[in-house]
């Protein structure tokens, strides 16, 4: 992703996984939000979950996080704050419309936070800049069996997610240094050992 940011010619970059697609009105909708909010660092969108055949996946029951996220998505367009990340993941890397200059100014993506370097990246953007999201489903997100569903990956996500929540000052709305500094080192060490 950092190399893509370096190579991009335009001011705005679309983060799109190789098996996902955008809708025909994606660019128009994103540019509309950017023109109404010129200070914004990125704009996220909602998505339609599809299978390997591009058929919509209907979910019968929703997780608590999804129900909380849906509460945010009741609004058409909204600002995402640091505090929001404490409760849910209010914006996704999939389909993210990103200001190249602002993304590079925070150092881009930090791979030491694997497997959730995208989450940490967006959280750091929210700490420094204005970010927005729309509830419009402008992305077709393909859910398939791949590396992101491996047990190792899922455990890594939970570990890093727990640490990042410790760094969020909900009352004041900013990121703070965690008192549990060794936690990040332990996570990195476990990944190096293959645990």
């Amino acid at each position: 992703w950092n190399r893509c940011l370096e190579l991009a010619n335009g001011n705005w970059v679309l983060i799109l996984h190789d098996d996902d697609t955008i809708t025909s009105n994606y660019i128009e909708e994103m540019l509309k939000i950017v023109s109404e909010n010129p200070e914004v660092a990125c704009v996220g969108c909602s998505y339609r979950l599809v299978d390997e055949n591009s058929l919509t996946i209907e979910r019968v029951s929703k997780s608590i996080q999804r129900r909380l996220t849906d509460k945010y998505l009741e609004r058409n367009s909204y600002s995402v704050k640091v505090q929001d990340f404490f409760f849910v993941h209010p914006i996704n890397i999939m389909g993210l419309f990103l200001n190249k200059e602002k993304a590079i100014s925070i150092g881009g993506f930090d791979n030491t936070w694997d497997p959730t370097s995208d989450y940490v990246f967006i959280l750091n953007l929210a700490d420094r800049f204005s970010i927005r999201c729309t509830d419009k489903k402008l992305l077709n997100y393909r859910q398939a069996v791949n590396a992101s569903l491996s047990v190792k990956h899922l455990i890594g996500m939970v570990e890093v997610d727990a640490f990042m929540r410790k760094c969020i000052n909900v009352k004041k709305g900013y990121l703070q240094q965690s008192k549990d500094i060794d936690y990040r080192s332990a996570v990195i060490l476990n990944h190096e050992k293959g645990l």
Side-chain angles (χ1 to χ4, degrees):
W1 288 335
N2 287 327
R3 185 69 174 139
C4 291
L5 288 173
E6 287 176 30
L7 294 174
N9 291 324
N11 296 329
W12 290 90
V13 177
L14 163 61
I15 303 291
L16 188 66
H17 297 154
D18 60 351
D19 59 348
D20 299 335
T21 60
I22 56 174
T23 61
S24 60
N25 61 333
Y26 173 92
I27 299 292
E28 176 187 348
E29 292 292 336
M30 291 298 180
L31 289 176
K32 186 165 102 176
I33 294 170
V34 167
S35 68
E36 293 169 357
N37 305 276
E39 76 292 345
V40 77
C42 68
V43 181
C45 65
S46 189
Y47 58 87
R48 185 173 69 97
L49 193 61
V50 297
D51 65 15
E52 63 276 358
N53 299 314
S54 297
L55 299 173
T56 301
I57 298 172
E58 297 292 335
R59 290 191 173 170
V60 177
S61 63
K62 292 183 179 179
S63 67
I64 292 172
Q65 179 179 330
R66 189 72 232 164
R67 284 189 297 243
L68 288 169
T69 302
D70 285 349
K71 187 169 181 66
Y72 278 92
L73 298 179
E74 289 171 1
R75 295 171 279 172
N76 186 38
S77 175
Y78 53 92
S79 177
V80 177
K81 305 288 185 201
V82 169
Q83 301 96 311
D84 300 332
F85 288 84
F86 187 80
F87 302 103
V88 296
H89 291 244
I91 188 170
N92 293 300
I93 196 69
M94 301 110 47
L96 192 69
F97 200 56
L98 183 60
N99 180 287
K100 174 185 173 179
E101 182 180 308
K102 290 177 180 171
I104 291 172
S105 76
I106 66 164
F109 295 87
D110 181 351
N111 291 332
T112 60
W113 288 109
D114 183 74
T116 59
S117 58
D118 53 347
Y119 170 67
V120 174
F121 169 77
I122 298 172
L123 181 58
N124 284 322
L125 267 183
D127 191 45
R128 298 262 314 273
F129 300 106
S130 167
I131 65 176
R132 295 196 67 80
C133 197
T134 177
D135 68 337
K136 293 180 181 176
K137 293 184 178 182
L138 302 174
L139 174 82
N140 295 312
Y141 174 56
R142 191 169 320 279
Q143 185 177 43
V145 176
N146 56 33
S148 64
L149 293 178
S150 73
V151 172
K152 179 181 173 184
H153 183 86
L154 295 173
I155 289 171
M157 288 175 56
V158 171
E159 289 174 335
V160 176
D161 193 61
F163 178 72
M164 287 312 301
R165 288 174 201 264
K166 288 181 178 184
C167 297
I168 298 171
N169 185 317
V170 177
K171 287 184 179 180
K172 296 184 180 175
Y174 65 86
L175 288 175
Q176 60 192 11
Q177 181 65 39
S178 173
K179 292 178 179 128
D180 191 3
I181 297 168
D182 291 332
Y183 188 86
R184 180 179 180 195
S185 300
V187 169
I188 293 168
L189 186 62
N190 281 341
H191 285 285
E192 289 172 355
K193 290 179 178 178
L195 301 174

